[in-house]
Amino acid sequence: MEEIYCQGCGAPIQTTDPEKQGYTPKSSLDRETVLCKRCFRLKHYNEIQDVSITDDDFLNMVSEIRDTDGIVVHLIDIFDVNGSMIKGLPRIVGEKPVLLVGNKMDLLPKSTKKRKLTQWLRSSAKESGINVEGVYLISSVKGYGLSELTEAIELHRYQKDVYIVGTTNVGKSTFINRLIKQTTGAGDVITTSYFPGTTLGFIEIPLDDETALIDTPGIVNKQQIAHYVSDDDLKIITPNKEIKPRVYQLNNQQTLFFGGLARLDFVKGDRQSFICYFSNDISIHRTKLEKADNLFNEHRGGLLSPPDEKTMEIIPDLTEREFRITNEKTDIVFPGLGWVTVPNGNITVAAHSPKGVNVTLRKSF
Ligand code: GDP
């Protein structure tokens, strides 16, 4: 078959995998202008859909922008910072100014200290090799922080292009759809057919006669728990409203299960409170440490759920990591699931999470 390219973004058209780039249903191939599903929806409904591609493809594709002029808006999920921060971003996109945008702020408790959160995001970015020009906190769903962000983009871009980058599931489509509505309203938003000099599937949304906001495909980061759970479970673990802290007073040698997806053992230390921030739909189960293995083996997928059957087929086994926590207020972070705040510390815990989705500690905010 002769290779056909999308007239919108230039991606090679394929009819086999709706989740992948360049997909169009077979029935659309007869049309005079062939568009991939993504461009079709964008053209007719002004709506962006995310297509995911593998890390290597993403790197090849995104590194095409290395020598271009512009700024980068790196969108991350405030609820899964580890899983959504793109490590070594400047190596991929070139030394462009980066604005870091924490999305899904509406999920955090209102009491969250924004200044501390911003500082932590800035230093997390630095650890990932990204020096950011500014950190912005938004909610694409609620619209919170968007006008401040668009002003900052205008200020920093000096009439240059704006590249939006992010991993899958951070809310990039929701964000861009919102921007489109805000900036262009209705109308035809696809302007160029091809990214200059390439045949790649970037989508451009004009900002003025010369420059554009350019959407890049969502990178698949294997550390995101989202890749290891079924669609149904993803809905359960992804909070859809402000999370309510749940507090447990624990003695040492007690264990908390977060569904059957993660577990925290209180190994050593004085009785104290563990404040859990997880989707309100994840059940938390307390048990004695000595009984925990048995409970897990017998009740995972039942009493301890999620996981559902589908998730159990794809999710890696839990691995354990021990942490010694000093007496500073600390969060034990289960990326993509939530975190547990330990106010007093001076304890030893063992955190269990699916292999590859690594638990980390941070100063609590
Ligand atoms: P993409 O893969 O990065 O394009 O992400 P989507 O835009 O498809 O969003 C992924 C999920 O996150 C969807 O369930 C969205 O409804 C949700 N989401 C996106 N932005 C926000 C937000 O600001 N707040 C909340 N609570 N959910 C969001």
Side-chain angles (χ1 to χ4, degrees):
M1 190 177 99
E2 189 198 345
E3 186 101 77
I4 305 171
Y5 296 95
C6 169
Q7 302 280 303
C9 65
I13 290 288
Q14 50 93 10
T15 55
T16 44
D17 188 344
E19 298 297 318
K20 295 258 165 69
Q21 204 185 10
Y23 175 78
T24 199
K26 272 211 178 83
S27 56
S28 316
L29 291 180
D30 303 335
R31 291 212 176 95
E32 205 170 298
T33 314
V34 178
L35 292 175
C36 70
K37 191 172 99 184
R38 182 161 80 135
C39 289
F40 185 86
R41 293 199 67 82
L42 184 64
K43 189 174 167 73
H44 295 284
Y45 306 109
N46 269 356
E47 199 179 277
I48 292 262
Q49 273 192 338
D50 210 16
V51 280
S52 60
I53 51 178
T54 64
D55 307 14
D56 282 351
D57 288 344
F58 174 86
L59 295 186
N60 288 339
M61 188 165 165
V62 175
S63 61
E64 296 282 342
I65 72 180
R66 193 174 320 186
D67 300 324
T68 62
D69 224 3
I71 68 164
V72 167
V73 172
H74 180 11
L75 205 62
I76 59 170
D77 180 347
I78 211 82
F79 210 71
D80 186 9
V81 173
N82 279 37
S84 61
M85 189 82 78
I86 301 173
K87 299 180 180 68
L89 184 66
R91 264 184 296 135
I92 306 167
V93 299
E95 295 293 332
K96 298 180 172 48
V98 176
L99 305 185
L100 187 70
V101 178
N103 187 33
K104 310 195 187 179
M105 269 305 283
D106 54 298
L107 298 178
L108 294 189
K110 297 241 163 35
S111 58
T112 306
K113 305 252 181 350
K114 301 223 175 61
R115 208 167 54 87
K116 276 195 177 167
L117 173 58
T118 304
Q119 278 168 357
W120 175 66
L121 289 179
R122 192 181 279 275
S123 60
S124 298
K126 197 149 192 199
E127 276 168 27
S128 297
I130 315 169
N131 276 319
V132 299
E133 297 271 315
V135 178
Y136 301 87
L137 303 174
I138 65 163
S139 162
S140 300
V141 164
K142 300 266 154 96
Y144 169 89
L146 283 178
S147 47
E148 199 185 28
L149 173 61
T150 39
E151 272 168 33
I153 291 177
E154 265 321 298
L155 190 74
H156 282 91
R157 78 183 184 97
Y158 294 106
Q159 273 80 47
K160 292 176 190 157
D161 290 331
V162 180
Y163 296 94
I164 311 284
V165 301
T167 62
T168 51
N169 214 44
V170 295
K172 204 153 60 64
S173 317
T174 312
F175 170 67
I176 291 176
N177 287 330
R178 187 119 195 173
L179 280 193
I180 293 176
K181 291 218 177 75
Q182 193 175 308
T183 53
T184 62
D188 196 351
V189 291
I190 297 183
T191 50
T192 51
S193 303
Y194 294 93
F195 193 69
T198 72
T199 53
L200 296 174
F202 291 106
I203 280 182
E204 304 196 6
I205 297 139
L207 291 169
D208 53 40
D209 286 348
E210 259 139 49
T211 56
L213 194 110
I214 298 151
D215 180 29
T216 61
I219 187 174
V220 172
N221 178 355
K222 295 280 157 37
Q223 293 207 359
Q224 279 176 293
I225 198 161
H227 298 306
Y228 302 116
V229 298
S230 67
D231 290 348
D232 288 341
D233 279 351
L234 186 59
K235 283 198 195 110
I236 295 175
I237 66 170
T238 309
N240 55 14
K241 52 175 183 287
E242 184 183 326
I243 42 180
K244 290 209 186 71
R246 283 175 273 176
V247 185
Y248 291 83
Q249 301 293 336
L250 295 190
N251 296 317
N252 65 38
Q253 298 298 302
Q254 284 191 309
T255 288
L256 292 178
F257 278 103
F258 309 103
L261 293 174
R263 149 182 171 189
L264 184 65
D265 303 337
F266 182 10
V267 179
K268 238 189 275 170
D270 294 338
R271 176 182 170 85
Q272 60 188 288
S273 47
F274 287 70
I275 310 165
C276 304
Y277 296 88
F278 290 80
S279 158
N280 306 332
D281 297 332
I282 294 186
S283 63
I284 301 181
H285 199 91
R286 180 208 317 233
T287 185
K288 286 196 177 128
L289 178 53
E290 60 183 10
K291 291 192 177 155
D293 283 341
N294 257 349
L295 187 81
F296 182 76
N297 292 333
E298 278 172 29
H299 295 285
R300 189 169 79 120
L303 179 68
L304 306 178
S305 71
D308 62 15
E309 265 174 34
K310 219 164 169 189
T311 301
M312 291 217 265
E313 280 169 22
I314 48 176
I315 198 162
D317 289 338
L318 296 188
T319 54
E320 175 179 350
R321 201 173 150 200
E322 201 163 273
F323 293 96
R324 170 107 194 86
I325 296 174
T326 57
N327 49 15
E328 185 173 56
K329 192 173 174 185
T330 302
D331 293 340
I332 306 159
V333 185
F334 296 83
L337 281 179
W339 66 92
V340 179
T341 301
V342 188
N344 305 320
N346 243 336
I347 58 172
T348 303
V349 296
H352 306 242
S353 67
K355 191 161 189 265
V357 184
N358 296 332
V359 172
T360 53
L361 298 186
R362 73 180 171 214
K363 217 183 199 183
S364 181
F365 46 75

